[in-house]
Amino acid sequence: MSATEIASTAPNKQGYRSFGLGAFHFSRDEYFVHIDWPTGKHVLSADVFLRALQRDVAWDFFYGTVNFDAVFGTVNHYGTVDMFAGRFNEAYRKAELDHTENFDTTDIRETFKAMLEDWTNQGFDPFASPEETDKPFGVKDGSNTAAITRRRVAAQRMVGVPGDEQIRTDATHPINRMFADVAQDEPELYPEPGFEDEVCAYSLFAYLSRSDVTWNPSVVSVCKASLYCPTTEEYILPIFHGNDRVEWFVQLSDEITWEVQDRDTGSPRAKVTMRAGDVAAMPGDIRHQGYSPKRSMLLVWENASPELPELIRTGQASVYPVDF
Ligand code: PHB
Ligand code: FE
């Protein structure tokens, strides 16, 4: 299949196209998304599927595994992507009903983008909290291209320095209803002459208070492989993220409860409640999903070194940041 060929059908009676990739087949109706593959079939609520699909597309398959739910998802091999059903589900594995196929990233990306575009109705924003968007259900009703193609902030050096994304303002990013109490004053800076392009500071709290998306880490600073990826969270992380490396969480405000499971089987490992100021390291062999009852600010600290998954796989690096 070439990069631009997408296997899809004419609209069904609800107005939605169906899509195929390898032996996987996807269709949607008013409420549900149906997936089938040679050894099985599965159904997800359209909101769950679209919120997860939006993250997989926007993050270009992220680090490691993106589980849409306990059955379906993707594994990033950074150049190719596995699409799977039942692979990280002990019952499917035991019954030998799991199925995995590997695709060039371009092919799966283009299919996922086309599916997201066709199945997202006007008024539904998969990045928004449920309180801030219409429902995704019903027969096909327009599209919401602007919302689903938002460009994620990805600084080359740091937000605010020349060449990188600029600070948010009322005109572009009004303060979110839940962060009305966040102070908006900015630090005063007095760089030495000649260093105006090198010295920079801004209020990360003020910046995050203006985020219009949820569960969508942006890259605000880069120091070699060390990425600061803060995000604002409300309701439920739309995926179970399966790690291929350690990642750190710094809870900047409010509270998130994390459901932590074994990455490969899904068996429960921990429930972690993080309150403002709490710091946690998520091991490299787990999957996790967060619950944020009120909009909160979270700093995700990633080590983007490309060699990490292989070092962990071959036992040269630990799945824990510190071995006590
Ligand atoms: C994560 O999987 O670590 C993750 C993803 C998205 C977020 C926060 C955390 O918004
Ligand atoms: Fe994660």
Side-chain angles (χ1 to χ4, degrees):
M1 187 174 97
S2 87
T4 48
E5 270 178 58
I6 293 160
S8 74
T9 64
N12 59 13
K13 66 178 189 294
Q14 294 88 10
Y16 299 107
R17 288 157 64 200
S18 299
F19 294 85
L21 189 61
F24 284 91
H25 179 258
F26 302 83
S27 62
R28 94 153 270 192
D29 55 28
E30 284 98 325
Y31 282 119
F32 300 112
V33 167
H34 303 268
I35 309 175
D36 52 77
W37 61 93
T39 52
K41 59 183 180 177
H42 189 51
V43 58
L44 297 88
S45 186
D47 62 328
V48 170
F49 184 83
L50 290 173
R51 287 194 177 101
L53 183 66
Q54 174 70 82
R55 276 36 181 214
D56 226 5
V57 167
W59 305 343
D60 211 27
F61 305 101
F62 210 36
Y63 300 104
T65 309
V66 170
N67 298 282
F68 285 42
D69 67 357
V71 174
F72 179 79
T74 59
V75 183
N76 197 353
H77 298 294
Y78 313 97
T80 69
V81 175
D82 289 345
M83 187 154 78
F84 65 80
R87 173 162 162 198
F88 299 106
N89 180 306
E90 209 167 15
Y92 274 78
R93 293 287 287 223
K94 278 196 178 141
E96 296 182 7
L97 289 174
D98 59 300
H99 183 75
T100 301
E101 287 180 52
N102 182 261
F103 301 102
D104 280 346
T105 300
T106 316
D107 294 334
I108 181 169
R109 183 197 291 130
E110 292 309 310
T111 299
F112 274 19
K113 278 165 68 179
M115 195 151 58
L116 181 64
E117 170 68 35
D118 192 69
W119 292 359
T120 304
N121 291 319
Q122 67 179 340
F124 179 63
D125 180 351
F127 273 129
S129 68
E131 278 277 277
E132 295 180 333
T133 181
D134 282 348
K135 296 181 176 62
F137 304 120
V139 297
K140 183 158 170 71
D141 177 22
S143 57
N144 198 357
T145 310
I148 65 175
T149 57
R150 278 188 188 89
R151 214 160 61 79
R152 190 167 160 241
V153 176
Q156 297 299 306
R157 290 190 292 162
M158 188 178 108
V159 162
V161 303
D164 273 324
E165 304 278 344
Q166 297 307 302
I167 294 301
R168 295 167 171 171
T169 65
D170 281 344
T172 59
H173 295 81
I175 299 166
N176 183 267
R177 74 199 198 289
M178 286 203 181
F179 291 138
D181 58 343
V182 173
Q184 295 294 315
D185 34 343
E186 292 292 336
E188 291 178 19
L189 262 184
Y190 304 97
E192 289 292 314
F195 291 90
E196 291 86 352
D197 286 357
E198 307 293 329
V199 181
C200 168
Y202 66 97
S203 164
L204 182 62
F205 284 93
Y207 179 83
L208 289 175
S209 73
R210 296 172 181 278
S211 167
D212 64 344
V213 290
T214 59
W215 306 103
N216 189 32
S218 52
V219 182
V220 299
S221 73
V222 181
C223 183
K224 296 188 177 164
S226 167
L227 310 185
Y228 265 14
C229 310
T231 152
T232 54
E233 321 296 47
E234 185 176 329
Y235 190 52
I236 303 175
L237 173 60
I239 62 155
F240 258 98
H241 177 221
N243 286 10
D244 65 4
R245 66 197 68 210
V246 171
E247 62 182 352
W248 289 84
F249 289 162
V250 182
Q251 189 69 37
L252 298 178
S253 85
D254 304 282
E255 183 175 311
I256 296 178
T257 297
W258 290 94
E259 193 84 56
V260 184
Q261 305 173 344
D262 181 83
R263 182 188 58 202
D264 298 330
T265 66
S267 64
R269 279 199 32 191
K271 236 186 234 293
V272 182
T273 298
M274 298 186 65
R275 304 202 172 89
D278 287 347
V279 178
M282 291 285 164
D285 61 353
I286 56 96
R287 70 176 86 163
H288 52 201
Q289 183 173 47
Y291 290 70
S292 187
K294 181 195 169 297
R295 204 176 189 88
S296 70
M297 298 181 182
L298 171 70
L299 176 62
V300 181
W301 183 23
E302 295 283 0
N303 181 339
S305 308
E307 63 270 22
L308 271 176
E310 182 63 11
L311 288 176
I312 288 178
R313 206 184 55 75
T314 54
Q316 296 173 77
S318 172
V319 293
Y320 302 110
V322 186
D323 284 305
F324 293 106

